[in-house]
Amino acid sequence: MTEKVRVRFAPSPTGHLHIGGARTALFNYLFARHNNGAFILRIEDTDRSRSTDEYIEAIIEGMKWLGLDCDEGPFRQTDRFDVYRSYVDRLVKEGKAYYCYCSSEELEERRRLALATGKMPKYDGRCRNLKEPVPGEIPAVRFKIPLEGQTIVDDLIRGTVVFENNQLDDLIILRSDGTPTYNFTVVVDDVDMKITHVIRGDDHLNNTPKQIHIYKALGYNIPKFAHLPMILGSDKTRLSKRHGATSVMAYYEMGYLPDALVNYLVRLGWSYGDQEVFSREELIKCFSFDNVGKAAAIFNPEKLLWLNSQYIIHSPSERLAELVMPFLVKEKIIGEGQDIDRKWLSKAIDTLKERSKTLVQLANTLRYYIAEEVEYNEKAKDKFLNEKSRELLIELKNSIASVPDFSHQALEIIFKSIVEKHGVKLKDLAQPVRVAITGGTESPGIFEVLEIVGKEKTLRRLEKAIKTIVCPHFP
RNA sequence: GGUCCCAUCGUCUAGAGGCCCAGGACAUAGCCCUCUCAAGGCUAAGACACGGGUUCGAAUCCCGUUGGGACUACCA
């Protein structure tokens, strides 16, 4: 009987939930769900000067939007300072940690000197065997790393990684102001929270041997580790604002579906044969570290956009109708609080979803269905609303007005007969009508468009288009 | 500088010694469909970083080189 899987996502609230953090959270979430384990959220806010409550909220909001719900937490490390201090005291009593009276300035100076003379900038251990306190200095607490031997990290993704202990610094675990530091709190919390698998970014691999020594000093079992490859920007440097939007919620704003982002993120580093699109259930079922890659991946917004368009195409229009509502308001297509008939909206979306890559785009193309009036694109107007089309438009208007049936099929018959009568191509009529009804030259099939716009608005817009055309013979 | 990690088309990746003169997806180009724009279909171009081994045989194993990244804080 193996113990229950427990994993955690442990962001520090010094910014919004970003792409890299979201991917780490996602892999934790999938691993937990796959194994019927627990997914825990822990806020690592021991750096009080950089952490804010606002960012804690932002992180929770981002995870909620992505549907990465946790089973326990959020826990905050600032609520647990007493716990950390008791562990520190224990280590000091047992001689596994010691007071260090070197000031930050001295340390900085020594490091600078070491670097300048090409030496390793390592703590020289001068307080390691101190017997007496140094008066006038408030000490920090350092953890004793064994001077020799090796530490082996057995990583689920990297395999066996060996570190020489003499390369490892005696790290500070309690600052002179009495607050604990990351490498210590992470171990204490993972122990207290009974974390079985530590799944985190590659950037923590080098911290792992130090943490292993802390586990050992405390006498606890060492969890399994899985270090995920990084996500980089287009220039192969760490993903940052320079590469465009990095905050997860920015993708909400841009009209992305959370499942599309999740699908994109999971394929950065993980694969399942040639499959590209996965439902949430499939992800949970298929996810394993066996097919997580080792190499860093470059974030590619184009592929994310494609995936988003796929998710929009395959989402039920009723669902898209709900999702697009805030964007209709934001794009000022409907007023705040204004409602819209969802059945009609869904039908409109049926025609639009395969040409919308984002909800923002979808909202904007819905504009000509919803608005009372359309504005013409100048180039389109000049090209298609002219003397040649005027006659056709007049005839169409009259036909439509005189025929009670306004269905897709009825419209097709009307169009065909006008086209045949004048010996022109369908497009010679369809394009001017398209401009008259939508204001532009791109839209779904013209019969569908008219059907959704409705007879009344269609006639009104045709009338307006006809009037717009200045006829040189009758100025 | 030291330590550690990594290396297949522009990008994400498949590939567990012969199935690979390397497969899929995005992006790009062309064609088809067509009332426009999409979607869809078909096709094209495009990669095993380099050099040594091991082996009958290497993208796959080993070593080196090069390149990239991370860490080297009283940040996380």
Side-chain angles (χ1 to χ4, degrees):
Chain A
M1 167 95 190
T2 51
E3 62 183 330
K4 190 186 175 188
V5 165
R6 291 172 62 82
V7 299
R8 85 300 194 275
F9 173 52
S12 82
T14 54
H16 292 97
L17 180 63
H18 58 91
I19 292 297
R23 209 268 306 252
T24 302
L26 174 61
F27 280 32
N28 272 284
Y29 167 89
L30 291 176
F31 186 73
R33 292 288 170 270
H34 180 87
N35 293 292
N36 281 313
F39 176 47
I40 297 155
L41 176 61
R42 184 173 75 221
I43 304 296
E44 310 230 323
D45 55 352
T46 52
D47 183 352
R48 287 154 138 172
S49 60
R50 296 199 304 145
S51 303
T52 70
D53 287 359
E54 192 194 331
Y55 285 137
I56 294 177
E57 284 311 312
I59 288 166
I60 292 168
E61 184 193 23
M63 288 178 66
K64 198 173 162 193
W65 181 64
L66 290 173
L68 305 179
D69 32 278
C70 58
D71 305 300
E72 294 172 34
F75 299 107
R76 294 183 60 163
Q77 293 190 320
T78 39
D79 292 337
R80 294 172 44 80
F81 276 11
D82 291 345
V83 178
Y84 307 129
R85 276 183 208 124
S86 72
Y87 277 93
V88 170
D89 289 346
R90 206 182 106 194
L91 289 178
V92 173
K93 275 203 194 83
E94 292 172 2
K96 292 168 178 169
Y98 57 93
Y99 292 108
C100 173
Y101 296 87
C102 304
S103 71
S104 318
E105 295 74 35
E106 288 171 332
L107 257 12
E108 181 54 40
E109 177 58 23
R110 278 180 236 155
R111 182 171 25 252
R112 207 186 51 72
L113 200 74
L115 242 26
T117 54
K119 288 196 182 120
M120 190 164 71
K122 194 186 158 183
Y123 178 64
D124 57 13
R126 69 178 64 191
C127 297
R128 192 174 166 117
N129 298 310
L130 224 54
K131 294 284 180 297
E132 299 294 323
V134 175
E137 287 285 348
I138 301 164
V141 177
R142 275 187 198 272
F143 178 78
K144 270 187 196 170
I145 297 274
L147 269 4
E148 44 198 44
Q150 295 180 327
T151 303
I152 291 166
V153 178
D154 206 1
D155 192 275
L156 259 20
I157 295 170
R158 313 274 145 188
T160 303
V161 185
V162 181
F163 294 85
E164 296 293 330
N165 289 339
N166 61 23
Q167 296 292 328
L168 271 24
D169 242 352
D170 278 0
L171 63 153
I172 287 186
I173 56 177
L174 194 75
R175 300 183 185 96
S176 49
D177 68 0
T179 60
T181 60
Y182 163 73
N183 277 303
F184 187 68
T185 57
V186 75
V187 171
V188 169
D189 283 343
D190 285 341
V191 165
D192 278 6
M193 295 174 189
K194 298 185 163 50
I195 300 302
T196 57
H197 299 257
V198 172
I199 304 164
R200 77 229 304 194
D202 218 352
D203 45 343
H204 290 290
L205 185 56
N206 284 297
N207 288 324
T208 308
K210 298 178 201 168
Q211 292 168 12
I212 285 176
H213 283 115
I214 297 175
Y215 278 102
K216 284 182 176 164
L218 256 17
Y220 293 112
N221 288 333
I222 295 159
K224 300 259 189 305
F225 293 101
H227 286 97
L228 270 19
M230 305 262 89
I231 299 176
L232 309 176
S234 48
D235 57 358
K236 291 183 190 244
T237 63
R238 213 185 176 120
L239 195 62
S240 74
K241 306 98 229 147
R242 291 182 296 113
H243 303 106
T246 54
S247 148
V248 162
M249 290 316 283
Y251 287 88
Y252 164 75
E253 304 277 344
M254 291 188 285
Y256 285 80
L257 264 30
D259 286 342
L261 221 208
V262 162
N263 198 144
Y264 177 71
L265 254 20
V266 81
R267 284 284 290 100
L268 242 35
W270 178 81
S271 61
Y272 194 74
D274 284 340
Q275 192 172 343
E276 295 286 350
V277 181
F278 299 84
S279 69
R280 187 65 61 109
E281 293 68 37
E282 283 177 306
L283 287 179
I284 290 169
K285 190 165 144 267
C286 302
F287 185 81
S288 151
F289 286 116
D290 294 344
N291 29 34
V292 171
K294 298 176 181 180
I298 293 173
F299 185 78
N300 180 217
E302 264 109 50
K303 187 156 183 183
L304 169 58
L305 190 62
W306 171 78
L307 261 172
N308 202 51
S309 73
Q310 290 298 307
Y311 272 86
I312 288 178
I313 288 171
H314 295 110
S315 292
S317 297
E318 293 72 27
R319 167 123 184 88
L320 292 172
E322 292 305 320
L323 293 174
V324 82
M325 287 301 289
F327 292 95
L328 290 175
V329 173
K330 200 152 47 174
E331 298 294 317
K332 300 205 188 332
I333 293 157
I334 62 172
E336 195 123 12
Q338 184 186 338
D339 210 2
I340 256 188
D341 177 45
R342 297 304 157 87
K343 234 180 131 184
W344 175 83
L345 186 59
S346 298
K347 274 183 68 182
I349 290 172
D350 278 340
T351 70
L352 250 22
K353 62 183 180 184
E354 68 188 26
R355 47 207 108 210
S356 307
K357 292 190 190 298
T358 67
L359 292 173
V360 172
Q361 274 182 21
L362 179 63
N364 278 304
T365 42
L366 278 164
R367 179 171 255 123
Y368 54 75
Y369 282 138
I370 295 169
E372 285 305 316
E373 298 286 331
V374 290
E375 270 180 40
Y376 301 127
N377 170 294
E378 279 304 312
K379 271 173 80 177
K381 187 183 91 175
D382 293 347
K383 186 166 179 195
F384 293 106
L385 298 184
N386 52 33
E387 207 191 337
K388 197 175 134 206
S389 62
R390 187 171 183 266
E391 207 181 326
L392 295 168
L393 290 173
I394 290 170
E395 193 160 342
L396 179 69
K397 197 197 79 175
N398 293 336
S399 298
I400 287 173
S402 63
V403 175
D405 189 358
F406 194 68
S407 69
H408 181 290
Q409 294 79 359
L411 288 163
E412 192 160 351
I413 292 166
I414 293 171
F415 270 67
K416 290 263 161 72
S417 78
I418 294 174
V419 162
E420 268 172 41
K421 184 177 156 196
H422 289 264
V424 295
K425 296 255 173 66
L426 179 57
K427 66 176 170 191
D428 296 323
L429 176 58
Q431 280 302 75
V433 173
R434 199 178 318 269
V435 177
I437 304 304
T438 72
T441 55
E442 301 158 15
S443 85
I446 195 65
F447 310 123
E448 303 171 84
V449 170
L450 295 189
E451 194 178 25
I452 290 160
V453 169
K455 189 168 180 173
E456 192 200 330
K457 269 191 201 170
T458 297
L459 288 173
R460 220 186 313 140
R461 289 182 191 177
L462 285 174
E463 181 65 39
K464 184 187 164 196
I466 292 161
K467 280 187 185 152
T468 301
I469 299 169
V470 284
C471 182
H473 307 299
F474 308 96

